Amino acid sequence: MLRTVGVFSLWMMFCICVFSCASIFAQDTIIDPYRITKPFRKQELTPWDSIAAVAYQKHLKEIDSLQLLTIKERIQNARTDTSIKTLVIDRCQVQSIGNELNGLTQIETLIVNRCPKLELDLLLNQISDWKNLQFLELSQSKFKKLPESIQRLTQLEGLQLKDNAFSDLPPLEKLRKLNYLGLSINPYLSENIIIDRSAELESLKSLDISYCQILNIPSEIAKLKQIDELNLGANAFQVLPASITEMSKLRVLNLHDNKLLNQDALFETLKSAPQLRVLDVSNCRFKELNNKIGLLTNLESLDLRGNDFTELPSAIGKLKNLTYLNFSALLMPGNERIFQLPPSIKSLSKLMYLDASGHFIKSVEGFFKKMSDLKYLNLSVNKIEKFPKDVVMASKLNYLNMGLNAYSEIPDNLGTLASLDTLILDGNFFLPATFKVKQLPESICDLKGLKYISVNDQVLESIPEKISALKELECISLRDNLLNSLPNSITSLKKLKYLNVKANELNSLPKNLGKLESLIELNISFNPAIDFNKEIPNLASVKSLQKLDISYNKVQKYRDWE
């Protein structure tokens, strides 16, 4: 018994060590500015996407730089600087902001977030003279009542009311310019109230009623004939009423995270909606994709990610107008995976965006010969044993992710992808060296527009000397390889901002690092053979450097870097 416990303990310690090492080596301090790429969907962004999200991200950056300004300080800044068009009031615990808001007529976007005690009627009256206000957000505050004074803001184009406790809405017919209404996470609003108030808005194009615990979509939804984009995601209904096809302008339908959705009935209904162009059924936990998907021949965008498919039907090849297709898998234990692609996908010649990441696909050879318009391709986290040579037929490709697969060679013709700006060729940390790349082809140096390259967790022993030809490079990540040196020519990359050579076998650094005039982050940790006492002057010459990682090295003494 003791021996069994001892063996088990040793086995657990071994597993912990392996995964701890993997996590240490996989940690990447280099920021990846190109990992998130906008999908090529033929649909207009909602005002929330195009105005409030951008404004809020800008606000977050301002918080960092201005060290958490108080609300009064933000208002005062807006009063003294009329170029400020966005005002964010968040985490406010007062009922009234007083007269501070009077006269800020230049404000175009007002975001009120997490202010549960704020008296909305008073606030709306204070901003009623803001003639330039286009977008208003009142979110995450558990407001129970929206005052009728909202109708005084007749110039509003977007109204975001997500995550509140409204059980009713006042008449909205005076908001004649409103084209976006966000009501997500309002579980106390009835479906009929939502439809009746939305029908009053003659200019409404986009309606978001996701996460509202809707059990049934009433047939009266047909009254929303002006709607172009409808988000019904994360609710609890099983079918859509046939009357939804009477929404003659509906082009974008988002049904994400509807776990109870009847797929067969869905496609039967939507086949009578020829105007539909964008369909999102991501994270619906479908076990298989119904062949009736082939009935939706006018679709241009289809989002299937996060489902439990083990295969795709051949009928998907009937969707000849698709420009966007995403069936990536969730990287979670127990989720099903696709083992091979149906040959019919080869006929989707209009595709611009294809994401098939996270599956068990072993071969994709011959799938890209007709995809000349493809711009984004993600085949990462699969089991692809041979790098597809025909990927170069996608001559417009600007994002290619072939990371975490099982190929050991990269074709020489990769350098013909003249439009490529992002290239990810990471290896799988847990695979043996026989399934990893030992050498990069010289043709990679012909990718003149390349901005980001990542070849982590491979077994590279060198990189091409001609890498200096990649004048647009901003980020190089070569973590966990077998490099004992870097070419001196790398210092001619004037736009290089991030360089990661963590966990290699470097003996020294390239001479004249100071020539890297844009370099702001350098990771050379886990390279114990480097003599840092000799390299300090070289490193100190990089005047633009903001972050340097030399951890887990043999640094015996420190010298004055000045």
Side-chain angles (χ1 to χ4, degrees), residues 161-228:
L161 300 173
K162 71 174 182 178
D163 199 0
N164 283 296
F166 298 126
S167 58
D168 197 1
L169 293 175
L172 300 174
E173 71 273 2
K174 292 184 180 179
L175 303 181
R176 294 187 177 89
K177 294 183 179 180
L178 199 72
N179 58 62
Y180 172 79
L181 178 60
L183 295 170
S184 65
I185 323 179
N186 274 283
Y188 304 116
L189 276 177
S190 72
E191 297 89 336
N192 290 325
I193 285 291
I194 293 172
I195 291 173
D196 289 345
R197 294 297 175 254
S198 299
E200 296 171 354
L201 300 166
E202 59 187 40
S203 297
L204 191 64
K205 301 298 181 186
S206 180
L207 175 63
D208 183 355
I209 48 176
S210 58
Y211 297 94
C212 284
Q213 300 181 16
I214 297 174
L215 300 176
N216 178 55
I217 305 295
S219 59
E220 287 79 8
I221 198 168
K223 294 194 294 185
L224 306 183
K225 298 186 184 301
Q226 79 278 33
I227 295 290
D228 174 83

Side-chain angles (χ1 to χ4, degrees), residues 41-43 277-279 299-303 322-324:
R41 300 196 193 191
K42 287 190 174 180
Q43 66 183 83
R277 295 294 182 269
V278 178
L279 177 62
L299 278 186
E300 296 176 0
S301 174
L302 178 59
D303 197 336
L322 279 186
T323 61
Y324 176 98

Side-chain angles (χ1 to χ4, degrees), residues 229-507:
E229 179 173 353
L230 178 61
N231 189 343
L232 295 171
N235 282 295
F237 56 86
Q238 297 183 30
V239 296
L240 292 176
S243 62
I244 198 170
T245 60
E246 298 175 27
M247 298 174 65
S248 56
K249 294 183 179 180
L250 186 63
R251 295 177 59 257
V252 181
L253 179 59
N254 194 333
L255 300 171
H256 72 87
D257 291 279
N258 276 291
K259 315 299 185 188
L260 305 178
L261 200 58
N262 185 315
Q263 190 181 164
D264 188 70
L266 172 67
F267 297 145
E268 274 292 337
T269 299
L270 294 183
K271 73 178 183 180
S272 300
Q275 77 285 357
L276 191 67
R277 295 294 182 269
V278 178
L279 177 62
D280 186 340
V281 286
S282 60
N283 300 306
C284 288
R285 296 296 174 88
F286 292 150
K287 296 297 183 182
E288 61 180 15
L289 185 61
N290 197 301
N291 259 310
K292 289 184 178 180
I293 188 67
L295 299 172
L296 310 184
T297 55
N298 290 322
L299 278 186
E300 296 176 0
S301 174
L302 178 59
D303 197 336
L304 301 167
R305 59 187 160 164
N307 284 293
D308 287 335
F309 303 136
T310 56
E311 61 179 0
L312 292 178
S314 60
I316 202 167
K318 296 180 180 179
L319 308 182
K320 305 291 186 182
N321 292 308
L322 279 186
T323 61
Y324 176 98
L325 177 59
N326 188 340
F327 52 91
S328 56
L330 289 176
L331 301 179
M332 296 178 64
N335 280 23
E336 299 291 344
R337 302 285 192 273
I338 293 172
F339 286 82
Q340 63 181 13
L341 298 178
S344 60
I345 281 186
K346 299 176 184 179
S347 63
L348 302 180
S349 58
K350 294 184 179 181
L351 276 182
M352 299 173 65
Y353 182 109
L354 176 60
D355 191 335
S357 60
H359 291 286
F360 291 158
I361 300 168
K362 289 188 175 183
S363 176
V364 289
E365 191 69 39
F367 276 82
F368 308 105
K369 292 180 179 179
K370 296 181 180 180
M371 297 185 185
S372 57
D373 290 330
L374 199 62
K375 294 183 178 181
Y376 179 106
L377 177 60
N378 188 350
L379 296 171
S380 63
V381 200
N382 275 288
K383 296 182 181 293
I384 298 171
E385 298 173 349
K386 186 178 180 181
F387 200 108
K389 291 184 178 180
D390 61 311
V391 75
V392 299
M393 303 298 289
S395 56
K396 298 178 183 178
L397 207 61
N398 56 46
Y399 179 100
L400 175 59
N401 189 344
M402 289 289 297
L404 281 83
N405 278 289
Y407 55 85
S408 59
E409 294 183 357
I410 299 171
D412 291 333
N413 61 357
L414 194 64
T416 61
L417 293 173
S419 299
L420 205 63
D421 64 34
T422 302
L423 178 60
I424 302 172
L425 303 171
D426 297 346
N428 189 326
F429 181 88
F430 295 102
L431 289 181
T434 52
F435 295 99
K436 296 192 175 188
V437 175
K438 186 176 181 179
Q439 186 177 7
L440 293 177
E442 291 284 339
S443 65
I444 278 186
C445 300
D446 295 329
L447 302 173
K448 305 299 184 183
L450 200 64
K451 294 182 178 180
Y452 176 89
I453 183 170
S454 179
V455 197
N456 299 321
D457 293 312
Q458 299 285 10
V459 289
L460 296 180
E461 297 179 354
S462 65
I463 59 174
E465 182 75 29
K466 292 182 180 179
I467 194 172
S468 58
L470 304 179
K471 302 297 184 184
E472 300 300 316
L473 266 182
E474 296 180 8
C475 183
I476 302 175
S477 189
L478 301 169
R479 186 196 68 225
D480 287 301
N481 278 283
L482 303 177
L483 300 171
N484 54 41
S485 66
L486 296 173
N488 289 326
S489 61
I490 201 172
T491 61
S492 64
L493 300 176
K494 303 298 183 184
K495 295 184 179 181
L496 190 65
K497 298 178 181 179
Y498 308 94
L499 177 59
N500 187 352
V501 286
K502 173 184 178 179
N504 276 276
E505 298 179 358
L506 296 178
N507 297 310

